[in-house]
Amino acid sequence: MFDRLQSVEDRYEKLNELLSDPEIVNDSKKLRDYSKEQSDINDTVQAYREYKDVREQLQDAKVMLDDKLDADMREMVKEEVNELQSQLTELEARLKILLIPKDPNDDKNVIFEIRGAAGGDEAALFAGTLYRMYSRFADAHGWKTEVIDSNPTGLGGFKEIIFMINGQGAYSKLKFENGAHRVQRVPETESGGRIHTSTATVVCLPEAEELEVEIHDKDIRFDAFASSGAGGQSVNTTMSAVRLTHIPTGIVVSCQDEKSQHKNKDKAMKVLRARVYDKFQQEAQAEYDSVRKSAVGTGDRSERIRTYNFPQNRVTDHRIGLTIQKLDQILEGKLDEIVDALIVADQSQKLQDASNE
């Protein structure tokens, strides 16, 4: 581990030199790439330097114990040794986590796709509840939410809603939301007061840059049509809605949220690029999972991951066995307790995998 840490620190110093090189400063792409690389390893380097400093202090303190000291001074040095040893243990644990290979998508924006599944109108209402929850979570982190496409119902829910959350590190926080979300509550449409169980599916994709996935114009079939509102009633007589079909993969994306065909096409391309990128990632993940199964994972989109129980104000994440009696707060976007627990579980699994290699 310490050989790897030393190589990371050496690379950090090399990047300092490169970022001072006039040729690099005048090359915007290299300057951006090297700056990002240095930023990515900065926390690791600073923690490693702190570790080395504490280790040196500990060695010096242990040497002092070998000297002839009076009882009071010896006791003080012993306390210092214990404190430094504790700091060293904590830093070593932190360094192990920092050395876990970073997901290259973690800093990206997120494209969400939420669809009402089993439960009819109630499932569509729950899809709307989830959209609101994620929007509130984004607001709390200073991120921006932008609707790309939606298929609303007359009761205020969504058969489907696709939206983007723009913000630094958004994907790192939300990538474990993929899967089936189940709700247990008395629907507004239920007069008898009976609890119903409904589900909505969530797909969370990292936004893909054009350089990361190449989509040729010849591989896209473009169709334009008039947009429609709830119930299929025409709300636009112009051909502003668009449908893009990626011929090699068969992936289809429609967008009608904007009045401008050009804006709808731009939004649809973002979703198409993300879905194609995700397809390639899923194929690679399937190959990885055949060798090693992740504790949390982002692969199985059909897995029931979470239950929201309204009568008991309870949320349970089934993957990590976490139950929280704060449903009302969570639906207001206070998801951090769940998000942090999922990240810790994922890190723990990766540490275990690394130790078994």
Side-chain angles (χ1 to χ4, degrees), residues 1 5 44 47-48 51 91-99:
M1 180 178 87
L5 286 165
T44 305
Y48 179 48
Y51 177 90
L91 283 166
E92 188 170 337
R94 184 176 173 221
L95 285 167
K96 286 179 180 178
I97 292 173
L98 286 168
L99 280 177

Side-chain angles (χ1 to χ4, degrees), residues 59-70:
Q59 289 170 346
D60 291 344
K62 286 181 176 179
V63 169
M64 286 183 66
L65 283 177
D66 294 332
D67 295 338
K68 292 181 178 179
L69 302 173
D70 60 45

Side-chain angles (χ1 to χ4, degrees), residues 53-94:
D53 181 56
V54 171
R55 185 177 59 185
E56 186 175 337
Q57 292 180 50
L58 179 60
Q59 289 170 346
D60 291 344
K62 286 181 176 179
V63 169
M64 286 183 66
L65 283 177
D66 294 332
D67 295 338
K68 292 181 178 179
L69 302 173
D70 60 45
D72 289 343
M73 181 61 73
R74 178 172 294 277
E75 192 60 35
M76 286 176 59
V77 174
K78 279 185 178 180
E79 286 181 10
E80 184 181 3
V81 166
N82 290 336
E83 185 178 332
L84 290 168
Q85 187 64 62
S86 177
Q87 289 181 39
L88 206 65
T89 301
E90 290 176 8
L91 283 166
E92 188 170 337
R94 184 176 173 221

Side-chain angles (χ1 to χ4, degrees), residues 252-349:
V252 180
V253 176
S254 298
C255 184
Q256 59 176 0
D257 201 62
E258 298 286 348
K259 294 181 181 179
S260 159
Q261 185 187 102
H262 178 71
K263 288 182 178 178
N264 280 328
K265 186 177 180 182
D266 284 347
K267 285 187 171 184
M269 273 303 300
K270 286 184 179 181
V271 177
L272 181 64
R273 195 177 296 117
R275 287 186 185 173
V276 172
Y277 179 70
D278 179 65
K279 177 178 171 59
F280 296 145
Q281 280 205 312
Q282 289 295 309
E283 290 171 353
Q285 185 68 35
E287 184 177 342
Y288 176 89
D289 284 346
S290 67
V291 178
R292 181 184 294 117
K293 185 67 176 174
S294 171
V296 177
T298 57
D300 189 355
R301 302 284 164 81
S302 63
E303 176 190 6
R304 189 190 74 202
I305 65 166
R306 195 173 297 149
T307 295
Y308 304 74
N309 184 292
F310 275 66
Q312 298 179 27
N313 196 37
R314 184 185 71 220
V315 177
T316 299
D317 195 288
H318 304 289
R319 295 164 295 180
I320 56 175
L322 176 68
T323 295
I324 302 173
Q325 306 286 152
K326 301 176 184 176
L327 173 60
D328 53 340
Q329 296 179 35
I330 286 165
L331 293 180
E332 289 298 317
K334 297 177 181 178
L335 277 166
D336 291 283
E337 189 172 348
I338 295 176
V339 166
D340 292 345
L342 289 166
I343 291 172
V344 168
D346 184 60
Q347 289 175 341
S348 298
Q349 181 63 43

Side-chain angles (χ1 to χ4, degrees), residues 1-64:
M1 180 178 87
F2 295 106
D3 289 341
R4 287 174 62 195
L5 286 165
Q6 188 57 53
S7 67
V8 171
E9 186 180 33
D10 292 343
R11 177 60 179 169
Y12 186 87
E13 291 298 335
K14 179 64 177 177
L15 288 167
N16 270 338
E17 295 177 17
L18 290 169
L19 290 169
S20 301
D21 187 327
E23 288 187 18
I24 301 299
V25 172
N26 292 323
D27 186 326
S28 59
K29 184 180 184 305
K30 285 185 177 179
L31 183 64
R32 183 178 66 250
D33 290 346
Y34 288 150
S35 296
K36 184 180 184 307
E37 183 183 353
Q38 188 182 60
S39 175
D40 287 344
I41 63 175
N42 181 67
D43 287 349
T44 305
V45 171
Q46 299 310 318
Y48 179 48
R49 288 174 175 173
E50 184 180 354
Y51 177 90
K52 289 192 293 184
D53 181 56
V54 171
R55 185 177 59 185
E56 186 175 337
Q57 292 180 50
L58 179 60
Q59 289 170 346
D60 291 344
K62 286 181 176 179
V63 169
M64 286 183 66

